[in-house]
Amino acid sequence: MSPDANTASAWSRKLAPYREPKVGRSILEIVITAVPLLALWAVAWFLHARGLWWAALLLAIPAALFLVRLFMIQHDCGHQAFFGERKVNDWVGRIIGVFTLTPYDYWRQTHAIHHATSGNLDRRGLGAIEMLTVEEYRALPPLRRLGYRLYRHPVVMFGLGPAFVFFLMNRVPVGMMRQGWKPWASVLGNTVALAAITGVLVWLFGPAPVLTVNAATMLLAATIGVWLFYIQHQFEGAHWSRNGVWKRDDAALAGSSHYDLPPVLRWFTANIGIHHVHHLSSRIPYYRLQNVLRDFPELRPMSRVGLMESFRCARLALWDEAEGRLVSFREVRV
């Protein structure tokens, strides 16, 4: 269902009352996310140290889900949505960033660029998954065309890509290397804190349990995170436009999905699937997004993608400007 261009810009004003975070609820959300994650890790390290490595790796699965949820708290902090005070948001975000391998201040800047440009074909770049139009793809030489096809292959996008981003790219402020010391301070500070905490844990539990369990947790969580980010903007029915036509609120409703997940997955992903509302008003804490859908049921069917149908979206790789839709490589004649 497409938004009405005449009314989409009014949504930000309608949603303003939902932007006020509740301090007690925010603290509770941190506790019920961080405590189970740390407990799962501790049990997994204990089991691994006693030779039960298979049981430890099994625990990495629920741990990854809690780590995804912890990242969503960091995400809300980056939008100044989780607490009323900027400094509280920022320091909570920085601390969580050590566990999610995500330099908070650097990520916050790139993510702000994503929100300011999402759905705009003329402003693609930092903070987004690379996407070419059909004509841009056709204009590439064969070798670069092959490179793009490999980049968009599910094995790379959701397998190798997450590991590359979180373990390597997040160690360097890609895209902001010439913007002074702040991006470098964020990245290097995150790396130093990560190394220090890892060193303490290795000293307490040994290198094999800590590195194996945490690497498995991070890889699985990173894959889930990249998949969520992909499906939020690369789905059947998504809308992209050029400068002069692009409007932020219209792009939020038509270019960001409502990933309608089952309740358990919705809890672990902290309602990030209600992404069209999030892009309309990023200052709404995730625990109030369901209230928005309850009070404005007309938002439910907009850009809705179900769990099973979402897997078909993995084949989408190019934007066809002539037809105004995302298409697969098979649909394009070169």
PDB file of all heavy atoms in Angstrom, residues 6-32:
ATOM      1  N   ASN A   6      -0.092  13.574  -0.294  1.00  0.00           N
ATOM      2  CA  ASN A   6      -0.632  14.793   0.295  1.00  0.00           C
ATOM      3  C   ASN A   6      -0.705  14.722   1.819  1.00  0.00           C
ATOM      4  O   ASN A   6      -0.874  15.743   2.483  1.00  0.00           O
ATOM      5  CB  ASN A   6      -2.033  15.065  -0.263  1.00  0.00           C
ATOM      6  CG  ASN A   6      -2.013  15.347  -1.755  1.00  0.00           C
ATOM      7  OD1 ASN A   6      -1.114  16.031  -2.237  1.00  0.00           O
ATOM      8  ND2 ASN A   6      -2.985  14.809  -2.473  1.00  0.00           N
ATOM      9  N   THR A   7      -0.632  13.519   2.360  1.00  0.00           N
ATOM     10  CA  THR A   7      -0.782  13.383   3.815  1.00  0.00           C
ATOM     11  C   THR A   7       0.460  12.837   4.508  1.00  0.00           C
ATOM     12  O   THR A   7       0.551  12.893   5.727  1.00  0.00           O
ATOM     13  CB  THR A   7      -1.955  12.438   4.143  1.00  0.00           C
ATOM     14  OG1 THR A   7      -1.695  11.146   3.577  1.00  0.00           O
ATOM     15  CG2 THR A   7      -3.262  12.970   3.562  1.00  0.00           C
ATOM     16  N   ALA A   8       1.429  12.314   3.747  1.00  0.00           N
ATOM     17  CA  ALA A   8       2.601  11.692   4.370  1.00  0.00           C
ATOM     18  C   ALA A   8       3.370  12.657   5.250  1.00  0.00           C
ATOM     19  O   ALA A   8       3.855  12.289   6.331  1.00  0.00           O
ATOM     20  CB  ALA A   8       3.522  11.125   3.286  1.00  0.00           C
ATOM     21  N   SER A   9       3.480  13.927   4.831  1.00  0.00           N
ATOM     22  CA  SER A   9       4.267  14.892   5.605  1.00  0.00           C
ATOM     23  C   SER A   9       3.612  15.240   6.938  1.00  0.00           C
ATOM     24  O   SER A   9       4.251  15.830   7.809  1.00  0.00           O
ATOM     25  CB  SER A   9       4.470  16.169   4.786  1.00  0.00           C
ATOM     26  OG  SER A   9       3.224  16.752   4.470  1.00  0.00           O
ATOM     27  N   ALA A  10       2.331  14.896   7.113  1.00  0.00           N
ATOM     28  CA  ALA A  10       1.643  15.193   8.375  1.00  0.00           C
ATOM     29  C   ALA A  10       1.950  14.180   9.459  1.00  0.00           C
ATOM     30  O   ALA A  10       1.717  14.446  10.642  1.00  0.00           O
ATOM     31  CB  ALA A  10       0.136  15.243   8.136  1.00  0.00           C
ATOM     32  N   TRP A  11       2.505  13.024   9.070  1.00  0.00           N
ATOM     33  CA  TRP A  11       2.725  11.964  10.050  1.00  0.00           C
ATOM     34  C   TRP A  11       3.725  12.356  11.133  1.00  0.00           C
ATOM     35  O   TRP A  11       3.562  11.992  12.301  1.00  0.00           O
ATOM     36  CB  TRP A  11       3.188  10.690   9.357  1.00  0.00           C
ATOM     37  CG  TRP A  11       2.051   9.913   8.764  1.00  0.00           C
ATOM     38  CD1 TRP A  11       1.790   9.703   7.443  1.00  0.00           C
ATOM     39  CD2 TRP A  11       1.005   9.247   9.490  1.00  0.00           C
ATOM     40  NE1 TRP A  11       0.649   8.956   7.292  1.00  0.00           N
ATOM     41  CE2 TRP A  11       0.143   8.655   8.525  1.00  0.00           C
ATOM     42  CE3 TRP A  11       0.702   9.096  10.839  1.00  0.00           C
ATOM     43  CZ2 TRP A  11      -0.976   7.923   8.879  1.00  0.00           C
ATOM     44  CZ3 TRP A  11      -0.419   8.374  11.193  1.00  0.00           C
ATOM     45  CH2 TRP A  11      -1.249   7.793  10.218  1.00  0.00           C
ATOM     46  N   SER A  12       4.749  13.085  10.775  1.00  0.00           N
ATOM     47  CA  SER A  12       5.746  13.476  11.779  1.00  0.00           C
ATOM     48  C   SER A  12       5.108  14.264  12.913  1.00  0.00           C
ATOM     49  O   SER A  12       5.460  14.095  14.080  1.00  0.00           O
ATOM     50  CB  SER A  12       6.854  14.303  11.124  1.00  0.00           C
ATOM     51  OG  SER A  12       7.629  13.503  10.266  1.00  0.00           O
ATOM     52  N   ARG A  13       4.169  15.125  12.565  1.00  0.00           N
ATOM     53  CA  ARG A  13       3.478  15.912  13.605  1.00  0.00           C
ATOM     54  C   ARG A  13       2.553  15.023  14.437  1.00  0.00           C
ATOM     55  O   ARG A  13       2.454  15.186  15.653  1.00  0.00           O
ATOM     56  CB  ARG A  13       2.683  17.041  12.939  1.00  0.00           C
ATOM     57  CG  ARG A  13       3.540  18.081  12.250  1.00  0.00           C
ATOM     58  CD  ARG A  13       2.716  19.274  11.800  1.00  0.00           C
ATOM     59  NE  ARG A  13       1.734  18.909  10.790  1.00  0.00           N
ATOM     60  CZ  ARG A  13       1.976  18.874   9.490  1.00  0.00           C
ATOM     61  NH1 ARG A  13       3.209  19.148   9.045  1.00  0.00           N
ATOM     62  NH2 ARG A  13       1.024  18.566   8.622  1.00  0.00           N
ATOM     63  N   LYS A  14       1.893  14.068  13.794  1.00  0.00           N
ATOM     64  CA  LYS A  14       0.998  13.179  14.526  1.00  0.00           C
ATOM     65  C   LYS A  14       1.765  12.299  15.517  1.00  0.00           C
ATOM     66  O   LYS A  14       1.238  11.941  16.575  1.00  0.00           O
ATOM     67  CB  LYS A  14       0.244  12.281  13.546  1.00  0.00           C
ATOM     68  CG  LYS A  14      -0.765  12.989  12.665  1.00  0.00           C
ATOM     69  CD  LYS A  14      -1.448  11.990  11.742  1.00  0.00           C
ATOM     70  CE  LYS A  14      -2.460  12.668  10.825  1.00  0.00           C
ATOM     71  NZ  LYS A  14      -3.123  11.687   9.912  1.00  0.00           N
ATOM     72  N   LEU A  15       2.994  11.962  15.162  1.00  0.00           N
ATOM     73  CA  LEU A  15       3.752  11.021  15.984  1.00  0.00           C
ATOM     74  C   LEU A  15       4.589  11.694  17.066  1.00  0.00           C
ATOM     75  O   LEU A  15       5.215  11.010  17.872  1.00  0.00           O
ATOM     76  CB  LEU A  15       4.668  10.180  15.083  1.00  0.00           C
ATOM     77  CG  LEU A  15       3.957   9.348  14.001  1.00  0.00           C
ATOM     78  CD1 LEU A  15       4.972   8.582  13.161  1.00  0.00           C
ATOM     79  CD2 LEU A  15       2.959   8.387  14.625  1.00  0.00           C
ATOM     80  N   ALA A  16       4.607  12.998  17.081  1.00  0.00           N
ATOM     81  CA  ALA A  16       5.422  13.723  18.060  1.00  0.00           C
ATOM     82  C   ALA A  16       5.149  13.311  19.509  1.00  0.00           C
ATOM     83  O   ALA A  16       6.092  13.195  20.309  1.00  0.00           O
ATOM     84  CB  ALA A  16       5.228  15.232  17.874  1.00  0.00           C
ATOM     85  N   PRO A  17       3.889  13.061  19.921  1.00  0.00           N
ATOM     86  CA  PRO A  17       3.647  12.689  21.326  1.00  0.00           C
ATOM     87  C   PRO A  17       4.296  11.376  21.755  1.00  0.00           C
ATOM     88  O   PRO A  17       4.429  11.123  22.960  1.00  0.00           O
ATOM     89  CB  PRO A  17       2.112  12.582  21.396  1.00  0.00           C
ATOM     90  CG  PRO A  17       1.610  13.433  20.281  1.00  0.00           C
ATOM     91  CD  PRO A  17       2.628  13.266  19.188  1.00  0.00           C
ATOM     92  N   TYR A  18       4.700  10.539  20.809  1.00  0.00           N
ATOM     93  CA  TYR A  18       5.283   9.230  21.145  1.00  0.00           C
ATOM     94  C   TYR A  18       6.794   9.313  21.351  1.00  0.00           C
ATOM     95  O   TYR A  18       7.430   8.304  21.658  1.00  0.00           O
ATOM     96  CB  TYR A  18       4.968   8.225  20.037  1.00  0.00           C
ATOM     97  CG  TYR A  18       3.494   7.980  19.840  1.00  0.00           C
ATOM     98  CD1 TYR A  18       2.739   8.811  19.017  1.00  0.00           C
ATOM     99  CD2 TYR A  18       2.846   6.929  20.487  1.00  0.00           C
ATOM    100  CE1 TYR A  18       1.378   8.602  18.837  1.00  0.00           C
ATOM    101  CE2 TYR A  18       1.484   6.704  20.310  1.00  0.00           C
ATOM    102  CZ  TYR A  18       0.763   7.557  19.487  1.00  0.00           C
ATOM    103  OH  TYR A  18      -0.589   7.350  19.312  1.00  0.00           O
ATOM    104  N   ARG A  19       7.358  10.483  21.173  1.00  0.00           N
ATOM    105  CA  ARG A  19       8.815  10.610  21.187  1.00  0.00           C
ATOM    106  C   ARG A  19       9.416  10.699  22.582  1.00  0.00           C
ATOM    107  O   ARG A  19      10.634  10.620  22.735  1.00  0.00           O
ATOM    108  CB  ARG A  19       9.233  11.847  20.375  1.00  0.00           C
ATOM    109  CG  ARG A  19       8.928  11.713  18.898  1.00  0.00           C
ATOM    110  CD  ARG A  19       9.140  13.014  18.146  1.00  0.00           C
ATOM    111  NE  ARG A  19      10.490  13.535  18.297  1.00  0.00           N
ATOM    112  CZ  ARG A  19      10.945  14.609  17.660  1.00  0.00           C
ATOM    113  NH1 ARG A  19      10.140  15.286  16.863  1.00  0.00           N
ATOM    114  NH2 ARG A  19      12.182  15.018  17.837  1.00  0.00           N
ATOM    115  N   GLU A  20       8.591  10.857  23.586  1.00  0.00           N
ATOM    116  CA  GLU A  20       9.112  11.018  24.951  1.00  0.00           C
ATOM    117  C   GLU A  20       9.497   9.672  25.550  1.00  0.00           C
ATOM    118  O   GLU A  20       8.649   8.800  25.751  1.00  0.00           O
ATOM    119  CB  GLU A  20       8.061  11.678  25.830  1.00  0.00           C
ATOM    120  CG  GLU A  20       8.580  12.095  27.197  1.00  0.00           C
ATOM    121  CD  GLU A  20       9.597  13.227  27.114  1.00  0.00           C
ATOM    122  OE1 GLU A  20       9.514  14.044  26.171  1.00  0.00           O
ATOM    123  OE2 GLU A  20      10.474  13.283  27.997  1.00  0.00           O
ATOM    124  N   PRO A  21      10.793   9.437  25.842  1.00  0.00           N
ATOM    125  CA  PRO A  21      11.186   8.164  26.460  1.00  0.00           C
ATOM    126  C   PRO A  21      10.801   8.123  27.936  1.00  0.00           C
ATOM    127  O   PRO A  21      10.644   9.155  28.581  1.00  0.00           O
ATOM    128  CB  PRO A  21      12.707   8.160  26.298  1.00  0.00           C
ATOM    129  CG  PRO A  21      13.083   9.604  26.273  1.00  0.00           C
ATOM    130  CD  PRO A  21      11.940  10.323  25.591  1.00  0.00           C
ATOM    131  N   LYS A  22      10.632   6.912  28.451  1.00  0.00           N
ATOM    132  CA  LYS A  22      10.355   6.708  29.871  1.00  0.00           C
ATOM    133  C   LYS A  22      11.610   6.107  30.499  1.00  0.00           C
ATOM    134  O   LYS A  22      12.008   4.992  30.152  1.00  0.00           O
ATOM    135  CB  LYS A  22       9.159   5.779  30.040  1.00  0.00           C
ATOM    136  CG  LYS A  22       7.868   6.331  29.433  1.00  0.00           C
ATOM    137  CD  LYS A  22       6.714   5.355  29.594  1.00  0.00           C
ATOM    138  CE  LYS A  22       5.435   5.915  28.982  1.00  0.00           C
ATOM    139  NZ  LYS A  22       4.291   4.966  29.102  1.00  0.00           N
ATOM    140  N   VAL A  23      12.215   6.837  31.418  1.00  0.00           N
ATOM    141  CA  VAL A  23      13.512   6.434  31.965  1.00  0.00           C
ATOM    142  C   VAL A  23      13.451   5.055  32.600  1.00  0.00           C
ATOM    143  O   VAL A  23      14.315   4.198  32.353  1.00  0.00           O
ATOM    144  CB  VAL A  23      14.013   7.476  32.990  1.00  0.00           C
ATOM    145  CG1 VAL A  23      15.316   7.001  33.631  1.00  0.00           C
ATOM    146  CG2 VAL A  23      14.220   8.826  32.320  1.00  0.00           C
ATOM    147  N   GLY A  24      12.428   4.801  33.404  1.00  0.00           N
ATOM    148  CA  GLY A  24      12.309   3.493  34.051  1.00  0.00           C
ATOM    149  C   GLY A  24      12.198   2.368  33.050  1.00  0.00           C
ATOM    150  O   GLY A  24      12.816   1.321  33.213  1.00  0.00           O
ATOM    151  N   ARG A  25      11.409   2.592  32.010  1.00  0.00           N
ATOM    152  CA  ARG A  25      11.239   1.559  30.988  1.00  0.00           C
ATOM    153  C   ARG A  25      12.545   1.341  30.226  1.00  0.00           C
ATOM    154  O   ARG A  25      12.908   0.201  29.912  1.00  0.00           O
ATOM    155  CB  ARG A  25      10.123   1.965  30.020  1.00  0.00           C
ATOM    156  CG  ARG A  25       9.916   1.012  28.848  1.00  0.00           C
ATOM    157  CD  ARG A  25       9.411  -0.355  29.314  1.00  0.00           C
ATOM    158  NE  ARG A  25       9.276  -1.281  28.191  1.00  0.00           N
ATOM    159  CZ  ARG A  25       8.193  -1.373  27.415  1.00  0.00           C
ATOM    160  NH1 ARG A  25       7.149  -0.565  27.630  1.00  0.00           N
ATOM    161  NH2 ARG A  25       8.141  -2.245  26.442  1.00  0.00           N
ATOM    162  N   SER A  26      13.259   2.414  29.930  1.00  0.00           N
ATOM    163  CA  SER A  26      14.529   2.288  29.207  1.00  0.00           C
ATOM    164  C   SER A  26      15.545   1.490  30.015  1.00  0.00           C
ATOM    165  O   SER A  26      16.251   0.630  29.483  1.00  0.00           O
ATOM    166  CB  SER A  26      15.077   3.677  28.878  1.00  0.00           C
ATOM    167  OG  SER A  26      14.238   4.349  27.958  1.00  0.00           O
ATOM    168  N   ILE A  27      15.622   1.785  31.325  1.00  0.00           N
ATOM    169  CA  ILE A  27      16.550   1.041  32.187  1.00  0.00           C
ATOM    170  C   ILE A  27      16.152  -0.430  32.238  1.00  0.00           C
ATOM    171  O   ILE A  27      17.005  -1.328  32.159  1.00  0.00           O
ATOM    172  CB  ILE A  27      16.579   1.655  33.596  1.00  0.00           C
ATOM    173  CG1 ILE A  27      17.209   3.061  33.550  1.00  0.00           C
ATOM    174  CG2 ILE A  27      17.357   0.756  34.556  1.00  0.00           C
ATOM    175  CD1 ILE A  27      17.133   3.810  34.859  1.00  0.00           C
ATOM    176  N   LEU A  28      14.862  -0.694  32.353  1.00  0.00           N
ATOM    177  CA  LEU A  28      14.383  -2.073  32.378  1.00  0.00           C
ATOM    178  C   LEU A  28      14.745  -2.799  31.087  1.00  0.00           C
ATOM    179  O   LEU A  28      15.170  -3.966  31.124  1.00  0.00           O
ATOM    180  CB  LEU A  28      12.869  -2.099  32.580  1.00  0.00           C
ATOM    181  CG  LEU A  28      12.206  -3.485  32.532  1.00  0.00           C
ATOM    182  CD1 LEU A  28      12.716  -4.362  33.677  1.00  0.00           C
ATOM    183  CD2 LEU A  28      10.683  -3.351  32.588  1.00  0.00           C
ATOM    184  N   GLU A  29      14.607  -2.132  29.953  1.00  0.00           N
ATOM    185  CA  GLU A  29      14.937  -2.746  28.667  1.00  0.00           C
ATOM    186  C   GLU A  29      16.419  -3.127  28.610  1.00  0.00           C
ATOM    187  O   GLU A  29      16.782  -4.175  28.068  1.00  0.00           O
ATOM    188  CB  GLU A  29      14.595  -1.790  27.523  1.00  0.00           C
ATOM    189  CG  GLU A  29      13.113  -1.551  27.325  1.00  0.00           C
ATOM    190  CD  GLU A  29      12.379  -2.764  26.791  1.00  0.00           C
ATOM    191  OE1 GLU A  29      12.960  -3.513  25.984  1.00  0.00           O
ATOM    192  OE2 GLU A  29      11.218  -2.980  27.195  1.00  0.00           O
ATOM    193  N   ILE A  30      17.269  -2.292  29.162  1.00  0.00           N
ATOM    194  CA  ILE A  30      18.703  -2.609  29.196  1.00  0.00           C
ATOM    195  C   ILE A  30      18.952  -3.829  30.077  1.00  0.00           C
ATOM    196  O   ILE A  30      19.699  -4.744  29.702  1.00  0.00           O
ATOM    197  CB  ILE A  30      19.510  -1.398  29.707  1.00  0.00           C
ATOM    198  CG1 ILE A  30      19.434  -0.246  28.696  1.00  0.00           C
ATOM    199  CG2 ILE A  30      20.969  -1.792  29.946  1.00  0.00           C
ATOM    200  CD1 ILE A  30      20.075   1.039  29.190  1.00  0.00           C
ATOM    201  N   VAL A  31      18.327  -3.856  31.246  1.00  0.00           N
ATOM    202  CA  VAL A  31      18.539  -4.955  32.198  1.00  0.00           C
ATOM    203  C   VAL A  31      18.081  -6.285  31.614  1.00  0.00           C
ATOM    204  O   VAL A  31      18.820  -7.283  31.659  1.00  0.00           O
ATOM    205  CB  VAL A  31      17.805  -4.670  33.524  1.00  0.00           C
ATOM    206  CG1 VAL A  31      17.834  -5.908  34.430  1.00  0.00           C
ATOM    207  CG2 VAL A  31      18.430  -3.480  34.232  1.00  0.00           C
ATOM    208  N   ILE A  32      16.868  -6.328  31.042  1.00  0.00           N
ATOM    209  CA  ILE A  32      16.336  -7.603  30.538  1.00  0.00           C
ATOM    210  C   ILE A  32      17.005  -8.036  29.238  1.00  0.00           C
ATOM    211  O   ILE A  32      16.752  -9.135  28.750  1.00  0.00           O
ATOM    212  CB  ILE A  32      14.803  -7.531  30.341  1.00  0.00           C
ATOM    213  CG1 ILE A  32      14.429  -6.506  29.267  1.00  0.00           C
ATOM    214  CG2 ILE A  32      14.111  -7.238  31.650  1.00  0.00           C
ATOM    215  CD1 ILE A  32      12.945  -6.451  28.963  1.00  0.00           C
TER     216      ILE A  32
END
